[in-house]
Amino acid sequence: MLNFFNYTLKDLQTLLLENGFKKFNAQQVFDWVYKKFQTDFTQMTNLSKALVVWLQEHMYFSGLSEQVKQVSKDGTTKFLFKLEDGNQIETVLMHFDYGNSICVTTQVGCNMGCKFCASGQLKKIRNLEACEIVMQVYYLNKYLYTNNQPLIRNIVVMGIGEPLDNYENLSRFLNIVRDDHGIGIGSRKITVSTCGLVPRFDDWIRDFPQVGLAISLHAPNDTIRSQIMPINQAYNISQLMQAVNKYIKATNRRITFEYILIDGVNDSIACAQELAALVKDILCYINLIPWNPVNNTTFKRSQNVREFYETLRKCGITATVRQEKGSDIDSSCGQLRAKHEA
Ligand code: SAH
C-alpha cells in the first residue's frame, strides 16, 4: 500500500496517469484531503467509482496515532504521536501574533549528542519518512480546522532530530508542504534549523535557496563549541562560517544564528563580544534562546540574557530574545524527548 502523504501533486498525477486515470484526478483528491480534510475515498463524491476502488486498493493514510495532548498556559500544545512501528514522536503547535506555527520532528532520537539537549540524550533510532513529517502538519491542520481555528502558516523544523541528517526525506517533505494545491506553505514561511552539517550545504543551496535556514551556533569559539556540540569536532566554526558565507552569496538571504545562553558556559560579556566579532561581516541575525532545563545535565539557565543582548546590540549586531512557548509542558526548544515504551 502507498502512503498518500508521500506524494507531491506531480507524483500523484504520474501515478494516476500510469494507472489509466486522468491527470486532473490528482488535483481532485488533493482538494479533498488537504482542503476538506476528507480521507475516506468513498466520500470523495466527484470521483469515478473506478478511481475510488483503485485508491482504496492502493493508497492509505494511517500511520500517526495521538497518544497524549498537553496544552500549556500560553496555548502551546504538544502532541505525542505513535508511529506505525510503535516509535513515538512529539510535535508542537504554537500560537503567535502572526499566526499558527508548527514545530516538526524529523528523526526518532538524534545522533548529534549536543550536551544541553534532551533529544540528544537518545541515540537516533531511525529517520522519519517524508510522509511521517507531512502527517504531523496534516494532523495539526485537521485539528485546527475541526476547532474552527486558522490553519498553520509557519513551519519550523526544530523538533527532535537533525534535519540535514535526513536530507532526502526532508526534501520530499518540503516539496509536499510547499505545494500550492496541498498544504501550500511557502518557502519563506518555513525555517529549518541545523547544528551545522557542512557537507549538506551545497545541496541545500541548490534545492531550497528560499527556505529559511537557522544554524545552532551556541558558542563564539571552537573550544566552547566543541565542549557542548560534538559536531564541532567534525566541522569547526571556520568551516561552518565558510559554508554560511557561500549560502549568503548564493541566496542573498539573511541567516539566523541560534544561541542558547547557559550559565557560566557561553553567556559572559566576553563571549558576547567574541560572538559579535565572529558574525560582524555576515548577513545574519542572532536569536538568543534562554536555555530550557533538561534532566541529567549540570547546566543552569543564564542570568545574563539582558546584558548579553545589550552587548551584541552595542556592537551593532541584530539580535532578538526568543519568546518562550510551552515551557510548563516541556515543549520548549530542546525539551522534546520521545518516550520509549515497550
Ligand atoms: N538539530 C537541529 C534542530 C533541533 S533543535 C539543530 O541542532 O538546530 C532546535 C534548537 O533548539 C537548536 O538550536 C537547539 O540547539 C536548541 N536547543 C536544544 N536544547 C535546548 C534547550 N535545552 N534549551 C533551549 N534550546 C535548546
Side-chain angles (χ1 to χ4, degrees):
M1 290 289 267
L2 308 167
N3 194 321
F4 181 88
F5 293 118
N6 267 327
Y7 283 77
T8 58
L9 181 67
K10 204 158 159 271
D11 291 346
L12 188 64
Q13 287 168 339
T14 309
L15 181 74
L16 294 184
L17 278 171
E18 279 168 5
N19 287 280
F21 300 101
K22 298 275 187 294
K23 192 176 169 190
F24 75 86
N25 290 143
Q27 175 71 68
Q28 292 175 312
V29 184
F30 253 56
D31 277 347
W32 281 109
V33 175
Y34 290 116
K35 305 274 192 263
K36 304 194 185 99
F37 296 95
Q38 178 58 263
T39 50
D40 179 349
F41 293 124
T42 64
Q43 300 299 310
M44 301 185 181
T45 47
N46 57 354
L47 306 186
S48 70
K49 188 85 185 60
L51 178 55
V52 171
V53 170
W54 187 88
L55 288 168
Q56 281 180 308
E57 280 172 2
H58 296 90
M59 297 200 100
Y60 79 118
F61 296 93
S62 77
L64 208 58
S65 70
E66 184 181 312
Q67 304 293 297
V68 183
K69 182 172 78 213
Q70 275 179 285
V71 185
S72 126
K73 280 184 240 140
D74 63 23
T76 299
T77 308
K78 178 168 77 170
F79 295 82
L80 177 69
F81 293 119
K82 193 177 248 174
L83 303 168
E84 282 178 344
D85 67 356
N87 278 306
Q88 305 202 53
I89 56 163
E90 293 175 48
T91 306
V92 183
L93 172 65
M94 295 163 288
H95 310 284
F96 290 99
D97 301 342
Y98 52 81
N100 288 326
S101 187
I102 183 177
C103 178
V104 295
T105 284
T106 54
Q107 297 180 319
V108 181
C110 180
N111 269 350
M112 299 301 125
C114 298
K115 299 282 188 279
F116 45 79
C117 178
S119 306
Q121 292 176 2
L122 274 180
K123 278 268 163 275
K124 178 172 94 179
I125 293 174
R126 68 172 176 87
N127 286 327
L128 291 192
E129 299 290 322
C131 59
E132 293 171 319
I133 317 176
V134 174
M135 281 190 296
Q136 297 171 56
V137 181
Y138 185 75
Y139 193 99
L140 266 56
N141 255 349
K142 190 170 179 183
Y143 168 81
L144 289 165
Y145 180 80
T146 316
N147 289 288
N148 285 321
Q149 288 181 47
L151 302 184
I152 288 161
R153 293 199 45 186
N154 297 272
I155 299 177
V156 293
V157 183
M158 298 190 184
I160 298 166
E162 168 48 46
L164 298 192
D165 183 38
N166 184 13
Y167 192 80
E168 274 179 32
N169 296 338
L170 174 77
S171 300
R172 177 164 279 275
F173 158 75
L174 291 173
N175 288 332
I176 294 170
V177 293
R178 292 186 308 165
D179 196 319
D180 277 340
H181 298 288
I183 294 174
I185 297 181
S187 296
R188 287 168 178 275
K189 304 277 180 207
I190 305 175
T191 304
V192 171
S193 176
T194 175
C195 64
L197 285 191
V198 168
R200 278 297 183 187
F201 273 59
D202 284 341
D203 297 324
W204 181 262
I205 293 166
R206 183 194 61 228
D207 299 338
F208 301 107
Q210 298 305 318
V211 175
L213 187 62
I215 312 270
S216 296
L217 186 58
H218 304 333
N221 60 50
D222 284 327
T223 311
I224 302 176
R225 196 164 191 266
S226 291
Q227 276 165 18
I228 56 177
M229 298 181 70
I231 189 72
N232 199 65
Q233 289 156 27
Y235 314 109
N236 65 21
I237 292 184
S238 119
Q239 290 166 305
L240 182 58
M241 292 306 165
Q242 259 175 32
V244 163
N245 281 322
K246 202 165 161 190
Y247 167 85
I248 293 168
K249 201 159 167 230
T251 64
N252 210 15
R253 294 215 58 190
R254 182 183 292 262
I255 206 157
T256 304
F257 288 116
E258 296 160 283
Y259 195 103
I260 49 174
L261 289 161
I262 311 175
D263 182 54
V265 174
N266 64 356
D267 68 338
S268 66
I269 298 304
C271 280
Q273 288 163 342
E274 200 177 352
L275 176 63
L278 178 68
V279 304
K280 73 175 184 338
D281 295 327
I282 299 178
L283 178 64
C284 70
Y285 90 95
I286 299 207
N287 198 192
L288 297 173
I289 314 172
W291 180 71
N292 295 303
V294 167
N295 288 340
N296 304 324
T297 66
T298 51
F299 296 128
K300 287 206 283 293
R301 277 172 88 89
S302 171
Q303 304 300 315
N304 215 20
V305 178
R306 263 304 119 196
E307 289 85 339
F308 200 96
Y309 170 80
E310 293 301 340
T311 308
L312 290 178
R313 301 287 291 200
K314 271 184 223 138
C315 297
I317 306 295
T318 316
T320 50
V321 178
R322 180 175 292 177
Q323 277 182 56
E324 282 190 81
K325 292 272 178 194
S327 50
D328 55 328
I329 55 166
D330 282 357
S331 69
S332 290
C333 301
Q335 289 185 317
L336 295 184
R337 176 168 183 161
K339 293 165 191 74
H340 293 274
E341 286 143 10

